[in-house]
Amino acid sequence: CIIKKEQETCLEKIRRAAALNPLNDSSPGCPGMWDNITCWKPASVGEIVFVKCPALFRFIISEDGWEVDNLGQTHAGDYDLLESTAQSPLGDISRNCTEDGWSEPFPHYYDACGFDENETESDNQDYYYLSVKALYTVGYSTSLVSLTTAMVILCRFRKLHCTRNFIHMNLFVSFILRAISVFIKDGVLYAEQDGNHCFISTVECKAVMVFFHYCVMSNYFWLFIEGLYLFTLLVETFFPERRYFYWYTIIGWGTPTICVTVWAVLRLHFDDTGCWDMNDNTALWWVIKGPVVGSIMVS
């Protein structure tokens, strides 16, 4: 995801620089370039451009790079343009603009940024995530089988039909939907092991994320209904359970529908990036997180 954001920023800067300072035959040089890791500003033949280690290696997103002002001049910023072939400082990578185009980066990204490609940390991290995914898959599968069995028992025996068990059944359904939504989400986002979900932006995957958030919210609100029902039993000796159950249903399934719909509309208009699985916009995320936290606190 870091690379995706860096690429979009780089291409926009290259476009602006090309519009303000177009290269022609009388002024040969190297155009701005995105090399799939970091951004390189336009340079003339003979210039050596230095850049800092990419955000991918530093694990932070900074404002490194060059800017274009109103006069069309490019500023080096953290890029140091040197006329000599002196070696770059530790942690910097250089490219030389030659008549044949950009040279290969020197030193290599791995050497300059202190990254050993022979280390097994990446493999260990992949193994860790695969283990976590396998663990919660087994957990959700067990939950799904158990809850389905419980639902069959509660539906099969009429003597178990009462308001309390109806609330339990709705809670079980919300847990079942939550487990199903997790399986669907994993199937859509991580269908291919080598696929990058940052580059996925389809109506299908966005709909899956909306369904996932709805199931999670419904789960929390039916937990809230469980507490609300017990509270009602304590404060009222006699009360019309059927009428109360009607309102319980509206709260348990209706409130998440409203919240998730509002969130989806806001994401579509103000933060329509990726597959909506990242929640970088804190304000929009509170449309879902706020009611959930509120229901937990009230419970």
Side-chain angles (χ1 to χ4, degrees):
C1 294
I2 292 176
I3 292 180
K4 176 67 174 178
K5 293 179 181 179
E6 292 288 309
Q7 179 186 17
E8 292 175 351
T9 303
C10 176
L11 295 179
E12 175 61 22
K13 290 179 179 180
I14 291 174
R15 185 191 64 79
R16 290 168 54 195
L20 294 173
N21 295 316
L23 295 175
N24 49 53
D25 295 335
S26 61
S27 59
C30 302
M33 176 182 66
W34 168 257
D35 65 356
N36 295 325
I37 295 181
T38 193
C39 196
W40 298 88
K41 66 177 286 294
S44 58
V45 174
E47 284 187 326
I48 300 177
V49 179
F50 287 101
V51 300
K52 297 292 184 182
C53 280
L56 171 65
F57 295 97
R58 291 181 283 114
F59 291 100
I60 58 171
I61 300 176
S62 63
E63 296 298 327
D64 297 342
W66 44 274
E67 297 292 344
V68 181
D69 62 18
N70 294 330
L71 298 177
Q73 302 296 322
T74 57
H75 301 288
D78 287 330
Y79 294 88
D80 299 322
L81 305 184
L82 305 180
E83 299 296 336
S84 65
T85 58
Q87 290 196 2
S88 64
L90 180 63
D92 286 8
I93 304 97
S94 68
R95 281 184 187 269
N96 186 18
C97 179
T98 68
E99 294 182 353
D100 296 327
W102 288 107
S103 65
E104 292 297 317
F106 178 82
H108 194 275
Y109 287 110
Y110 293 124
D111 298 327
C113 302
F115 182 83
D116 186 0
E117 59 184 327
N118 295 322
E119 290 182 353
T120 59
E121 181 179 353
S122 178
D123 294 337
N124 292 336
Q125 191 177 53
D126 290 342
Y127 177 76
Y128 168 76
Y129 285 125
L130 288 174
S131 300
V132 171
K133 183 179 179 181
L135 183 62
Y136 75 67
T137 300
V138 172
Y140 275 119
S141 299
T142 305
S143 177
L144 192 59
V145 172
S146 303
L147 291 168
T148 303
T149 304
M151 284 293 296
V152 171
I153 294 173
L154 289 173
C155 293
R156 178 66 178 82
F157 298 98
R158 297 182 58 87
K159 291 183 178 181
L160 297 177
H161 292 183
C162 62
T163 301
R164 180 181 69 254
N165 285 341
F166 285 152
I167 293 176
H168 293 338
M169 291 166 68
N170 278 274
L171 178 63
F172 293 171
V173 170
S174 70
F175 272 113
I176 291 172
L177 290 176
R178 181 170 182 166
I180 293 175
S181 68
V182 169
F183 295 145
I184 295 175
K185 177 172 67 72
D186 285 356
V188 172
L189 289 183
Y190 312 115
E192 299 179 6
Q193 293 294 333
D194 297 332
N196 189 340
H197 68 276
C198 292
F199 296 90
I200 300 177
S201 182
T202 62
V203 175
E204 178 189 18
C205 74
K206 292 175 183 177
V208 167
M209 291 306 303
V210 170
F211 176 66
F212 170 73
H213 287 306
Y214 173 77
C215 294
V216 173
M217 280 201 74
S218 299
N219 193 195
Y220 279 108
F221 270 87
W222 276 105
L223 287 170
F224 166 72
I225 295 300
E226 290 277 359
L228 182 62
Y229 175 74
L230 293 176
F231 174 77
T232 307
L233 290 178
L234 290 175
V235 299
E236 292 190 33
T237 305
F238 302 100
F239 64 95
E241 289 193 355
R242 289 186 178 275
R243 190 181 69 183
Y244 273 78
F245 182 73
Y246 174 78
W247 287 107
Y248 293 155
T249 304
I250 292 178
I251 296 174
W253 297 114
T255 305
T257 301
I258 296 174
C259 294
V260 173
T261 300
V262 172
W263 174 81
V265 172
L266 292 176
R267 282 298 299 257
L268 185 63
H269 287 83
F270 300 106
D271 192 20
D272 188 16
T273 58
C275 196
W276 295 4
D277 56 322
M278 305 295 290
N279 296 290
D280 297 330
N281 192 319
T282 306
L284 297 185
W285 181 226
W286 272 102
V287 175
I288 289 178
K289 187 167 67 173
V292 168
V293 173
S295 69
I296 295 173
M297 297 300 296
V298 173
S299 294

